[in-house]
Amino acid sequence: MGVLDVVPAGVLTGDNVRKLFEYAKEQQFAIPAINVTSSSTANAVLEAARDIKAPIILQVSQGGSAYFAGKGLANDRQQASILGAIAAAHHIRTVAKEYGVPVVLHSDHCAHKLLPWFDGMLKADEEYFQRHGEALFSSHMLDLSEESKEDNIATCVQYFKRMAPLGLWLEMEIGITGGEEDGVDNTGVDNSKLYTQPEDIFDVYSALSAVSPNFSIAAAFGNVHGVYKPGNVKLHPELLQKHQVYAEEKLNGKKKPLFLVFHGGSGSTKEEIKTAVTNGVVKMNVDTDTQFAYLAGIRNFVQNKSGYLQTQVGNPEGADKPNKKYYDPRVWVREGEKTLSARVKEACADLGNVDRL
Ligand SMILES: O=C(CO)COP(=O)(O)O
Ligand SMILES: O=C[C@H](O)COP(=O)(O)O
Ligand SMILES: [Zn+2]
Ligand SMILES: [Zn+2]
């Protein structure tokens, strides 16, 4: 029995998203969510998943979406982010099945000021649903963690009521991920906010489960976006167990009732990742490490082939030798795709997500 006995290949929607996460939680593995910004990065992530027979999550941030549409487009009303997210979704939908793996198509952090982006994606989901009977995306994240708990939960409930009939999964954040996300600077935030309390998580669970079971919680356990020299904020994935136990007691023993999400996966140790998965993390976001991996192949190529990249004609093999085979983007960008793919495979291995189909 494997993932393909539970859900089909291609982009998952509706209850299939929950079935995948339920299966992962039962089998004690998690799926990495990789931020993609182009067809090149998306394809490289899908290729990695195909090679190691694993389900995968591809996500677009607000900035990544704008990049997907083109940095030359105005984005003052989130119009480029909306278009780019839709373009990314259509690209991924078009190719995903061919890679033969189940894919969760997700949008990343959406803070209050970015809600017009969310509204635009939701409108696209509704239109797609009208035509195809399913939403365009598998899931979306709302990140109202900067607001009061009451406002955060109330706004999530309001959106979730609109999402549930479309079968959309909601990921919400409570407690704050440190570092920086989409221009929201959380570097100086109060330390206590970086560790969510079990009571707050259960308040979220109670409010959202009244609408639909299809949601997950990004609880803070010292997570930070980006990779920095070790500082005073420490990752404590063992705290997640307290949240599960607290919810279990409130729900009369229902085992590990929470679907938890691990933000700021980059730079985490194998041990931290393992502990998080044991405690019900089903999704781990990785962006910074995969960005660096994408660069590595291109950087190495440019360094190693320097003599072939200075002029269109003429290289160390002769003054009349053409260099087209070196400066063609399909050659040097491909090198980045290979190193990105390798880093995605490593994330999958860390999470126990290998040979799962
Ligand atoms: O949480 C993330 C995206 O939401 C990714 O964080 P990292 O860039 O630290 O991996
Ligand atoms: O929020 C974290 C993700 O890494 C997205 O980052 P980004 O806004 O730079 O695309
Ligand atoms: Zn946040
Ligand atoms: Zn994040």
Side-chain angles (χ1 to χ4, degrees), residues 99-349:
Y99 284 88
V101 298
V103 175
V104 174
L105 174 55
H106 177 73
S107 66
D108 203 6
H109 299 267
C110 181
H112 197 273
K113 64 172 184 186
L114 300 178
L115 284 174
W117 172 52
F118 200 93
D119 294 334
M121 289 189 289
L122 205 46
K123 187 164 165 273
D125 284 314
E126 285 166 344
E127 286 169 4
Y128 198 88
F129 190 89
Q130 291 288 321
R131 269 180 285 134
H132 304 279
E134 61 175 352
L136 177 61
F137 282 81
S138 312
S139 60
H140 297 291
M141 178 182 192
L142 276 174
D143 179 2
L144 305 165
S145 56
E146 316 278 325
E147 318 301 316
S148 70
K149 179 174 79 173
E150 291 68 28
D151 285 353
N152 182 349
I153 294 177
T155 309
C156 285
V157 166
Q158 189 193 328
Y159 273 102
F160 200 30
K161 283 186 175 158
R162 212 173 129 194
M163 293 166 72
L166 307 177
L168 279 164
W169 182 276
L170 172 68
E171 176 183 330
M172 67 81 70
E173 177 165 318
I174 182 144
I176 287 180
T177 307
E180 212 232 59
E181 75 204 18
D182 275 328
V184 179
D185 183 2
N186 291 332
T187 41
V189 85
D190 181 48
N191 227 16
S192 69
K193 290 240 165 40
L194 302 175
Y195 302 94
T196 316
Q197 297 306 310
E199 298 80 2
D200 293 341
I201 291 179
F202 192 70
D203 287 345
V204 171
Y205 180 92
S206 304
L208 294 184
S209 60
V211 181
S212 155
N214 297 339
F215 66 93
S216 52
I217 303 173
F221 51 99
N223 320 59
V224 176
H225 288 130
V227 174
Y228 311 91
K229 220 172 82 162
N232 52 356
V233 183
K234 208 180 147 4
L235 203 60
H236 284 292
E238 71 283 0
L239 293 176
L240 298 176
Q241 199 201 358
K242 285 208 306 199
H243 306 328
Q244 296 284 11
V245 169
Y246 185 89
E248 256 168 53
E249 281 165 5
K250 290 275 181 189
L251 297 166
N252 301 321
K254 185 178 176 204
K255 283 279 161 226
K256 267 205 250 176
L258 309 168
F259 293 104
L260 297 170
V261 180
F262 184 158
H263 277 253
S266 296
S268 307
T269 66
K270 315 269 176 217
E271 214 43 53
E272 288 166 337
I273 295 170
K274 248 196 198 138
T275 308
V277 174
T278 310
N279 292 325
V281 159
V282 292
K283 169 178 184 272
M284 180 177 84
N285 292 0
V286 185
D287 187 13
T288 306
D289 279 357
T290 40
Q291 288 180 330
F292 189 60
Y294 190 55
L295 169 71
I298 297 172
R299 181 200 60 215
N300 295 347
F301 181 84
V302 170
Q303 281 172 353
N304 297 338
K305 303 290 180 203
S306 161
Y308 297 78
L309 301 173
Q310 308 307 319
T311 49
Q312 281 187 288
V313 179
N315 63 41
E317 292 168 49
D320 54 356
K321 298 279 186 206
N323 290 325
K324 186 166 159 57
K325 290 258 173 326
Y326 297 91
Y327 60 76
D328 181 337
R330 289 170 296 183
V331 175
W332 56 271
V333 176
R334 178 66 184 150
E335 293 304 310
E337 292 172 357
K338 288 182 197 164
T339 43
L340 168 54
S341 270
R343 183 62 186 83
V344 173
K345 290 177 189 176
E346 183 186 337
C348 287

Side-chain angles (χ1 to χ4, degrees), residues 37-44 68 91 337:
T37 53
S38 61
S39 56
S40 163
T41 49
N43 297 344
F68 211 107
H91 169 73
E337 292 172 357

